[in-house]
Amino acid sequence: MEELLTVRDLRVSYASRRRGARLAAVKGVDLDVGAEEIVALVGESGSGKTTLARAVVGLTRADSGTIAFRGVPVGRPGRWPPAQRRAVQMVFQDPKSSLNPRMPVEKIIAEAWRAHPEAAPEGDRHRAVGGLLDQVGLDGTVAGRRPGELSGGQCQRVSIARALALRPALLVCDEAVSALDVSVQAQILGLFAELRGRHGLSLLFISHDLGVVRQIADRVAVMYLGEIVECAPTEEIFTAPRHAYTRMLLDAALDFVV
């Protein structure tokens, strides 16, 4: 499988309250995501999942290590080439807070083209927005509404449409369904699977919900205290976990049935 994203020996730390001290959030992580592959990143809160995700999309600066996209190192945040910035997009946990409450949906989506005019469609942008909304299962009338008028599931679909506007190759989904009702979660998971098939997308899917992960992921990487302690095909993780922490996560999932 062609590697789309390659992370090697990535380290990220934050300044602590103690003068001159730093807290290590990501400690020498190696991670690969192949073309059209869905890799889930699991672990308890504070394990470093979101920090790793933010580093992958260029929102957090790494102390050291490399992030490469299709074999090309991306460099420091803010200095990524435009093509690489477009190719990696993020879908956030809280759909409503990730959208500008004062803007109608059409402008929210079209704003991506203002930041990246080279990715803007030719011709009628209103029609292009309608096409994106249709791809994520929303009626075109949603284009004139604001986020406050939409449900959480509809807002997350708008967030996905905004990401798709730049024709990405990789979506980084940080707890993208955890704030949604169970029935809506299933719909969004189905949408991600459909978009992978339609657009050839890869996903780095971050979640603490093992049931959700088993439904969607091809491989699972288990993160503990800033390190990836195990990475294997999904069924292998669930049926023959090797690391004690992975076994603990599975045992803690009381509603999980093997």
Side-chain angles (χ1 to χ4, degrees):
M1 180 183 297
E2 176 192 359
E3 297 300 347
L4 185 70
L5 174 73
T6 306
V7 177
R8 291 290 178 269
D9 196 26
L10 194 72
R11 299 175 185 273
V12 183
S13 64
Y14 297 106
S16 73
R17 294 181 179 179
R18 294 176 57 189
R19 186 174 180 180
R22 297 188 67 83
L23 298 174
V26 175
K27 307 172 185 176
V29 162
D30 293 343
L31 181 67
D32 298 315
V33 180
E36 298 186 39
E37 183 183 30
I38 298 178
V39 176
L41 186 62
V42 303
E44 60 193 315
S45 296
S47 61
K49 304 186 304 297
T50 294
T51 298
L52 176 58
R54 289 177 62 86
V56 164
V57 298
L59 294 177
T60 294
R61 180 176 177 176
D63 298 336
S64 62
T66 60
I67 301 171
F69 191 75
R70 293 195 175 107
V72 180
V74 296
R76 295 181 178 181
R79 297 183 181 180
W80 288 23
Q84 290 175 326
R85 291 203 303 269
R86 294 195 305 272
V88 184
Q89 295 296 307
M90 193 164 187
V91 180
F92 296 91
Q93 178 176 2
D94 186 346
K96 289 198 174 184
S97 67
S98 70
L99 304 175
N100 189 328
R102 298 182 179 182
M103 295 175 65
V105 165
E106 182 167 359
K107 287 189 176 181
I108 288 173
I109 294 174
E111 190 176 31
W113 297 325
R114 187 176 68 175
H116 296 274
E118 63 276 13
E122 297 181 0
D124 189 343
R125 293 192 181 185
H126 176 76
R127 179 175 296 179
V129 169
L132 288 167
L133 291 174
D134 181 66
Q135 287 186 45
V136 299
L138 290 174
D139 188 272
T141 58
V142 170
R145 298 164 67 183
R146 288 177 169 77
E149 303 173 69
L150 304 177
S151 68
Q154 288 175 317
C155 284
Q156 196 60 292
R157 290 175 188 268
V158 170
S159 298
I160 296 168
R162 177 179 59 184
L164 292 177
L166 296 179
R167 301 190 293 275
L170 173 68
L171 289 183
V172 178
C173 304
D174 186 11
E175 299 282 5
V177 299
S178 65
L180 306 176
D181 293 338
V182 173
S183 61
V184 180
Q185 284 186 6
Q187 294 170 14
I188 297 298
L189 292 176
L191 174 61
F192 281 135
E194 178 186 340
L195 293 173
R196 172 168 70 162
R198 179 183 297 181
H199 297 288
L201 286 172
S202 299
L203 274 72
L204 178 57
F205 190 86
I206 297 164
S207 179
H208 65 275
D209 189 326
L210 296 176
V212 166
V213 165
R214 194 172 194 183
Q215 290 181 58
I216 195 172
D218 300 310
R219 285 190 299 127
V220 178
V222 181
M223 199 162 185
Y224 176 59
L225 295 179
E227 301 179 39
I228 291 181
V229 296
E230 184 169 2
C231 186
T234 301
E235 282 307 303
E236 184 177 326
I237 288 288
F238 281 89
T239 59
R242 297 182 178 182
H243 197 276
Y245 180 71
T246 307
R247 293 193 293 271
M248 186 199 75
L249 286 180
L250 293 173
D251 290 342
L254 299 179
D255 57 346
F256 171 71
V257 179
V258 176

